Structures are given as C-alpha cells and as structure tokens.
Amino acid sequence: MFRNNSNITRFIALSLVIGLLSFGITIVSSLGINAVAQDKKKIAVVTDVGGRGDLSFNDMGFKGADEAAAEFGVELQVAQPASEADYLPNVRNLARTGDYEVIIGVGFLLTDAIETAAKQFPDQNFALIDAVVDQPNVLNFVFQEQQSSALVGALAAMTAAHYDYSKVGIVLGIEIPPLWKFEAGYRFGIKWGLDYYEKVTGEKANVDLLWTYTGTFSDVAKGKSSANAQISQGAGLVYNVAGPLGLGILEAVKDKLNQQGKEAGPPFMIGVDANQDYMGNGNKVLASGMKRVDRASYIAVKRAVEGNFEGGTEVLGLDDQGVGMSRYNQLVDFIQFGLKGDQIKEEDVDTIKDNWLEMREEIPHFVWTGVNELENLIVSGSLTPPAPSTEEEMKDVRKEYP
Amino acid sequence: MLTRIYEQVKPILNSFLAGLIGLAVGAIIMAIWGYAPFGAYDALFTAIFGSFYGFSSTLARATPLILTGLTFAIGVRGGIFNIGAEGQVFMGALAAISVSLLSLPSGIHVLVAIIAGAMAGAIWSLPPSFLKITRGVHEVISTIMLNWVALYFGMYAVVEWLGDPQRAEKSISAATTSRLPIMVSGTSLTYALFVSLAFSLLIFFLLWRTTLGFELRVVGQNPAAANYAGIKENYSINSTFILGGLAAGVAGALQIIGHPPTYALYSDLSTVRNLGFDGIGVALIGRNHPIGVIFAAVFFAGLNVGARTMQITAGVPLEMVRIIQGVIIIALAAPELIELSNQLLPAVRNWINEVKAS
C-alpha cells in the first residue's frame, strides 16, 4: 500500500487529523448527554432476526410491550439480534444485569435461548410467545388459532356463497400438528357459515373446500401455484396458512383480477397471524385470522409490573382478544408499522384505508353480523371449534367437516 | 537494521492505523446522528475485554470465523479468489447433522462429525476447482453460484430429511454424544475453539514448512515462475480449493456440534448464514495469514459481541451499530483490499476478454 515514505507521512498525518477531529466531536457530544435517572422499572423485549419492521411478530410484540410500558410507567429495552448467534447472548446479557422485571422472547425462534437462560437465571422472569418452555420462571403464551380460523372460515363461506363461487380454499405450509388447528377451525367455520347463510337468505349454498399442504414455509412460488390451482377450480377466497407464501397467494389473486380487469376482489386472500389486510393496496385481502402477539407481551408486562407474575402456560383465545379477525384499528396499527419499516409509502396510506373500507362495505351486512354471532357463541362457550392434536383426530375432523 | 524491523512490523502498524481511522469515522457518524461515541465505544470494548464472560463470548463467536477466514486466506495465498466458504459451511453443517443420526461413543462421534463436515466442505469445493482447471471458469463466478445451490439444497434437506418432527423451524439437534462440551459455564464457549486454533496452526505449518505449501504459494504469487520451476499448477490450484473447503466444512460442523443452545440448523440456515462472507473480512484484516486470521477473527467477533451490548447499555440501535462495524471493517481491510484488487482486476479483465473472444 505504501510505495514510499511520503505516502506514509501523509497517511499518518491524515489519520491524526481525523482522530483529533473525532475526539473533539466526542467531547462536545458527550457533554450534551445527561445521565437518565434509573429509578424506573425496566422490561425488555428480545426479537428474532426479523427484528422491528417485520410487519409481523416482532412489530406486534414490541407494540404490546410499548403500550404496557407507557401505561405502567416502565422503561422498555429492545434487543435485536444481528444473527441467530445473538439469540442466547442477548437474553443472557439482559438477565445478567438483573434490572429487568421481565424479559420477553417474541416468537418460537427464541425457544432454546429462553429455556437455557431460564435455567441459568432462576430468579429472572421470562415470557415466551408462541412456544412452550417448561421452566418455573417462564410464562408461555400460546394461541387458540382454531377460533380465529373458524371466524375467517365462516366469513369465507358466506362471502363465496354471496358471490356465487363454488369453492373456498386454504393453502397451508408443512403438515405439522400446529397447522391442524388452523385447518380444523377453518372447516368448522365454513360449515357454520353455510348454515347461517341458508338461515338468513333461505337459499342453500354449495361451497366446497379446496385444501393444499405445500410442504414449505419459504417457497413463495409454491404459494402462487397452489392458489392459482384453487382459484381456477372456482375458489373465491384463499386462506393463507403458510407465512410468506401469502405473497404468492396474493400474486395469484392479482393475476385473476387482472384477467377480469378488476382492481378489487373477489377473489380475495385471507391473511394469517399478522394483519395482512393492507397488502395489495387494501382491497385484495378481505380479512386476517390474527394471532395477537401484542396482547401476550402486554399481559406479560402487566403481570410482572403488578407483581403477580407466575410461570406456566397461558392459552389466549377470542375471549381475551388473543386471537381474532382483523378490524379497522389493527389495519391502522399495521400501516404505522409499514410506514416505519418503509414497506408502505406515505402517499398510499389513504388509498389503502379507503380501499379497505370500500371492500368491506361491499360485503352484505348479514355476513359481518354472522361472523360476530359466531364469535359470541365461541366466547360464551356454546360452540367449540375442534383443535385436533393427533392425526386420528384430524382425520375425524376432515370426515365431519368435508 | 531499523528498516528491517520496520518492514516486519509495517503490516501491523498499517492495520493499527487503519483501525484508528475506522473508529474515528465511526465516531463522527455516531456524533452526527446524535449518539454519544464515547459511551458507545466504552460499551463495545467493555463487552469484549471487560469481563471473562464477555471475552468468552467473543472467543465463541470467533471460533467459526477463524476457519472461514482461513478458507479465503488459503485461497489468496494459492492465487485463488475463493468466495465459496459460505456454501461449504452449509454442506459441513448438513454433514455434521446427518452423522448425528448414527449412534457412536461420544469421543469418536465428535471426531466423525468433524471429519464428515470437513469432507463435505472439501467435496463442495471440487466443482469450482474442476471448472477452473478444465474449462477456465473464474472461481468467483462458480463459487458464488454454488453458494446459492448449497443454500437451497440445505433448506430442502433440513425440511425434507433432517427436520425436527416437533419443531418445524429447525433440524434435529446434534446427538448428545457428538456435541463438544461447554468450556466456560454460563457462556456459549465450547471446546470447538481448540479445533479452530489447531486447524490454523496446521495450515500455518503446511503453508510455510512443507513442499506443497511452498508450491502453493509460488503458484499464488507468480504462476509463470511456478510453471518455469516445474511446479504442477493444476495440482496446486486443486489443493488450494480442497484445503479451503476442509476449513469451511469444519466451521460448519463446529457450528452444529459446538454451538449451544440449539445444536441444530434453523430451516432458513440462519445458524450458519454469512459466516463464509464474514470470513472474507476476517482474512483481509488478518492479512491472509493463518495467525493473523486468528487475531482478526477475535476482533471481528468482538465487534459482533459488542454490538449486542451497545444496544442495551449505550442505547445505540442495532442498525447504527452495524454501520459502525462496517466502517471499521472496511478501514481495516482496506490495505489488503487494495493489494488484492490490484491482483484480481487484471485477471477478471482477461477472463471477460476471453469470454468475449470465444
């Protein structure tokens, strides 16, 4: 690099100048920083590699903790990992300080990290969302996805009947036991929705289910081809139970709409876990079966701050708003996430909101009344969507709700 | 005499100055965005050197980086721009998981897993080697492409063959008999560190104390001279690829059998992603020398470990921390990068001309 001495001299001089400059700036800037009074209680959220701005688990986990922090006057610390190798160290670093009332692991990717740290720091409270670790100082949160799936199932069936579609679809990821709850709830909801439709309109609608396990949670193209197949067989709505494959399902919906020269559905996609209603300009995803991660982190903070935190597993359902069908205020939340994460442009916000309102306006009123009625029936306990945990139970569900 | 000493310490001095410049530029960037550089750097260095816990965490992170750094360093020494560590790490990791399906006594199982990883890495380095020797395909192109093949093959393998039936997000974990024990309890540092160090020393010995190493370096510095001296260029190139593949493969294996708490691959391979690319930075900072690579990897790992605490204690967001890291790494790598591009650009230009001509 250094061909001769004058180059070296220049190099050293340059670095000295830069060094002095930065030293000066450092002094000046550090003078401006005042030590914050540390008497506030503290809580921490540990995200997975998706981090803030993922428009899903991490954003929701943060939102719940953030709201709770504001409500209870505690300070919130977020630790984001740069890679998977940071999961456990992040949890450990927070636990070692002993300063945090609770450390919340957002999402199942943190399972092993929380478990290891919980053993190492038995006096520290931990919370884990969407997975279960059997440790006395860990509060786990799991969700009754069959309930939210039942709501969107009923919505899908009634909407399909209203628009004279003969099918509704569901595209799932790998066939693992957690996904059975989605499938079973959806089947249950479709049946209920069709009965309700007949009761209200006096017409018997024939809407059948098309279901596909794609065997992947990452191959977006498979999401598109599966949804394409279902739509071309007459499906008016397709429920996404395969995470990122939703992007492919949305593509399939858009293709169909383009063929018909339309902007807004039907056909529609139905979103999952997060609020995906904003996708495709707000008029292609009719609703989302939401898993309210924000509720879980809110509850964890509340309990820790109020001093009644206990390890164990909390099953969140419709009754405590742990799951649900997407509503307008959640759309607004997610638009905020999207703006922060640069996934949604400022100028599109109004279009998305208007499109969404218009889309839901188009659906007959009785359909929404029906969904609300089903929700009330499930909350009151008079109806219980099936939640199979074995293959046999799943087979029985498929037989009962074809 | 003085000039001789100067010649010896010059690279170290250069790196030191480069590091200072990097830190200074980083400080300026932080100050401009309103973060306190002193507090941030304090958090960074305390995290690395401030405690036994911190230093152990740094060494744990450095373990795979030493090996992927070696892959690139060996390549440069042998005249090859080997970007293939990334894919070779994936293959090594897959092999280590696969052999954990066997039931073997613990000592042997560890050894089998490491050897399987090394072999898988080496095998994955063969196609670019053959393509280069027989068809003259530039290794930058072939290794980058094979990285993608390895990535998607790895994801497929984790989902289809090696998936954990209980948890869809990860592969099965390495058998307990094939795991390397934790060295410092309460940290992630395992005896994998010694495997990495031993491998570095082995490569150092091989490059500077054996005929193969000598030939390899001559081919790297001047293929024409090597040819004139009767050194078989193709043999040497092939050896360079294989040695690099072995190193990366071991890195992949260690990231499974010596990486608590999961001892498994996540299905998006995030457990092993970017180790190969980070290895390029490590090698450049370490001046492509097996011993330099060790120190560079520790430094590089220190930046990673410090990033975790900079967020928590200094309130600098992760994105900013990564910008600072990038600046420091570029500054440190600059001297070697300039030399390397001088070496590489004509080769690439020639290659492009050849392709155009044919």
Side-chain angles (χ1 to χ4, degrees), chain B residues 1 4 7 32 35 40 93 103-105 161 176 226 247 251 298 326 341-342 356:
Chain B
M1 184 61 202
R4 257 200 73 137
E7 284 297 316
I32 290 173
Y35 300 103
S103 55
L104 293 168
W161 304 318
T176 37
V298 171
S341 59
N342 286 341
K356 268 188 199 158

Side-chain angles (χ1 to χ4, degrees), chain B residues 16 105 110 119 135 149 169 219 231 266 294 341:
Chain B
F16 188 71
V110 171
M119 296 307 290
R135 312 300 309 163
V149 177
E169 78 272 18
V219 170
I231 294 171
Y266 282 104
I294 296 176
S341 59

